[in-house]
Amino acid sequence: MELPLALYIHWPFCVSKCPYCDFNSHVREQVDQAVWREALLADLAHEARLTEGRKLGSIFFGGGTPSLMPPETAAALIDAAEQHWGFADDIEITLEANPSSVEAARFAELAAAGVNRVSLGLQALDDATLAFLGRAHRVDESLVALETAQRHFDRVSIDLIYARPDQSPEAWDAELARAIGFGTTHISLYQLTIEPGTRFATDVAKRQWEPLDDDAAADMYELTQARMEAAGLPAYEISNHAAPGQESRHNLAYWRYQDYLGVGPGAHGRRTGMATQRHRKPENFLSAIERNAYGLQSETALDASTQAMEALLMGLRLREGVDIAALADRFAMDSGDLVDWASVQKLEALEFVNRDGRHLAVTPKGFPLLDAILPQIVAIEPTPDA
C-alpha cells in the first residue's frame, strides 16, 4: 500500500525584506489575489493528474508570508486538494505565520478554511533581537498572536533562533525556559546561519558584526538539548523538538523520503522518482501557467543511487535514524553500496553513531557534527548532473 502524499504549497510573497533570506525580490505591496488563486489551483491540478489514486497525508502552506494569503484562497486550495486526492484520516494542514496582529486577525478564518496546525515564527523573545533579525513584530504583539493561535488551532508550533551574536548561555537558557512555558507541543530551534547572498552575509563580510564562534554555539546546542529533554520535548530531528506524537507529520514525510508534491513559485518536489522544480520568479511562474497550465521549470528522473543517497542524507537527520536493509531493498542495492561500514565502525567507537542490527542512527553526541559525519557514512557517489 502506498504511503499518503505530502503537499507543499509555496506562497511567494513577503511583506518585508529579511536579512537572512535570499527571496527578498519577492517583496510586494500589491498582489492580484484572484490571479494567484487561479494559478495555484492550476498548478495543483497538474500534480493531481500525475498522482491519481493517492491520498494526501499533509498539506503545508509555506514560503514568504503565507498567513497573508486570503483565507478564501487557502479554503479553495484545501477544497481542491480534497477533491483531487482525498484526505487520509486525521490529515495535518499547516500554515506558516508571522506573529503579527494583522496575520493573527485571520486565524479564525484560516481555521474555518481547514488549517489545523500553525507554525508561528516568534524567532526571539526580546525586541532588540527582533530588530536585528529584521522582524517587523515586537514581543508583546507576538505573544498576543500566539495566544490567538492556541485558541483557534488544534496544534501550534513556535520557532526561535539562537547562537546569535553576543548571546550568552544564561540569556538563551532563560529565553528557552520562557518559550517552553507557553505550552506548545512542538518547538523548532535553529542556530543562526549566514547564507550567501543575504544582507547578513554582506554585514559579516564588512565586519559590522561577528557570528558566535563554533565552540560557543556548540555549548548552546548542548544546553538546548538538555533543557528540551527535561521538558518532555526531545529532538526528533536535529532542530525540531516535540512531545511524543506531536511531531510534524509533513516534515517527517520529507525526512523519511516519502513522495511530496511542490506547488507554487520556487517549490521543489519528489514525485515517484522525479525531482520537480517550479519557476522561482513569480512572473516566470505565471508565464508558465499561461503557456502550459502548470508552473514546472524542470522535471528530472532520479536514478536509484541518487534517490538512495538523498534518502540517507535526509533520514540520518532524524533521531530514529534509518533502516539500512529496508533502504537497500527499496532501491535494489547492497547495503555496502549505501554505507561505508568501516567508517561507521570508527564513528561508533567515538559514540557518534549507533548501529543496532540493520538500523543506523546518529547519536546526540554526533548531531552537532552531522555535516562532518554524513560524508563519512554515505558511500554512494552522486550521479553527474543529478
Side-chain angles (χ1 to χ4, degrees), residues 30-52:
Q30 298 294 328
V31 176
D32 189 328
Q33 301 290 352
V35 166
W36 276 97
R37 180 163 54 250
E38 293 309 310
L40 291 171
L41 286 169
D43 209 26
L44 191 80
H46 176 74
E47 290 298 307
R49 286 191 290 271
L50 299 174
T51 51
E52 190 175 354

Side-chain angles (χ1 to χ4, degrees), residues 305-338:
S305 294
T306 301
Q307 292 183 69
M309 179 182 66
E310 290 186 341
L312 263 180
L313 292 173
M314 296 297 283
L316 289 172
R317 293 178 60 89
L318 288 168
R319 188 171 188 166
E320 68 186 30
V322 175
D323 185 326
I324 300 298
L327 195 63
D329 288 345
R330 177 178 174 183
F331 296 109
M333 298 175 68
D334 185 88
S335 68
D337 294 328
L338 293 173

Side-chain angles (χ1 to χ4, degrees), residues 290-314:
E290 290 174 6
R291 290 192 309 272
N292 308 317
Y294 55 82
L296 272 170
Q297 180 179 25
S298 65
E299 191 172 38
T300 306
L302 301 177
D303 62 25
S305 294
T306 301
Q307 292 183 69
M309 179 182 66
E310 290 186 341
L312 263 180
L313 292 173
M314 296 297 283

Side-chain angles (χ1 to χ4, degrees), residues 57-58 89-92 155 245 247-254:
S58 66
D89 293 340
D90 198 25
I91 187 172
E92 176 187 275
R155 300 165 66 203
E247 300 86 355
S248 167
R249 281 172 249 154
H250 185 86
N251 286 338
L252 281 175
Y254 291 159

Side-chain angles (χ1 to χ4, degrees), residues 118-134:
V118 160
S119 178
L120 204 59
L122 300 189
Q123 298 196 332
L125 296 177
D126 71 90
D127 289 334
T129 299
L130 288 173
F132 167 76
L133 293 173

Side-chain angles (χ1 to χ4, degrees), residues 5-213:
L5 294 162
L7 171 64
Y8 174 74
I9 300 175
H10 190 279
W11 181 252
F13 302 112
C14 304
V15 294
S16 62
K17 289 187 180 295
C18 173
Y20 52 94
C21 172
D22 61 355
F23 264 77
N24 287 321
S25 62
H26 294 183
V27 175
R28 298 286 192 280
E29 291 184 4
Q30 298 294 328
V31 176
D32 189 328
Q33 301 290 352
V35 166
W36 276 97
R37 180 163 54 250
E38 293 309 310
L40 291 171
L41 286 169
D43 209 26
L44 191 80
H46 176 74
E47 290 298 307
R49 286 191 290 271
L50 299 174
T51 51
E52 190 175 354
R54 307 276 301 270
K55 286 189 177 293
L56 284 183
S58 66
I59 302 173
F60 194 101
F61 291 94
T65 312
S67 47
L68 290 180
M69 177 191 298
E72 55 267 29
T73 297
L77 289 163
I78 292 168
D79 289 346
E82 185 170 21
Q83 290 174 26
H84 286 312
W85 288 283
F87 288 167
D89 293 340
D90 198 25
I91 187 172
E92 176 187 275
I93 303 177
T94 301
L95 181 104
E96 283 186 332
N98 290 327
S100 73
S101 56
V102 173
E103 292 167 72
R106 299 173 181 238
F107 285 172
E109 291 176 275
L110 288 164
V115 174
N116 56 27
R117 182 178 181 273
V118 160
S119 178
L120 204 59
L122 300 189
Q123 298 196 332
L125 296 177
D126 71 90
D127 289 334
T129 299
L130 288 173
F132 167 76
L133 293 173
R135 299 295 85 188
H137 65 272
R138 295 172 61 86
V139 173
D140 56 356
E141 184 181 24
S142 68
L143 297 186
V144 171
L146 173 59
E147 182 182 356
T148 304
Q150 290 177 306
R151 189 163 64 248
H152 288 294
F153 300 104
D154 295 337
R155 300 165 66 203
V156 177
S157 174
I158 60 175
D159 69 56
L160 296 172
I161 295 172
Y162 69 102
R164 308 182 302 245
D166 300 321
Q167 187 179 33
S168 71
E170 294 77 16
W172 171 235
D173 190 41
E175 186 172 3
L176 192 54
R178 186 181 181 194
I180 290 167
F182 297 147
T184 65
T185 54
H186 190 287
I187 302 180
S188 298
L189 302 169
Y190 303 107
Q191 288 197 14
L192 180 65
T193 56
I194 312 302
E195 297 295 336
T198 65
R199 199 198 80 198
F200 272 178
T202 301
D203 290 348
V204 170
K206 291 180 177 178
R207 300 184 182 277
Q208 293 183 6
W209 54 270
E210 291 186 6
L212 206 64
D213 68 63

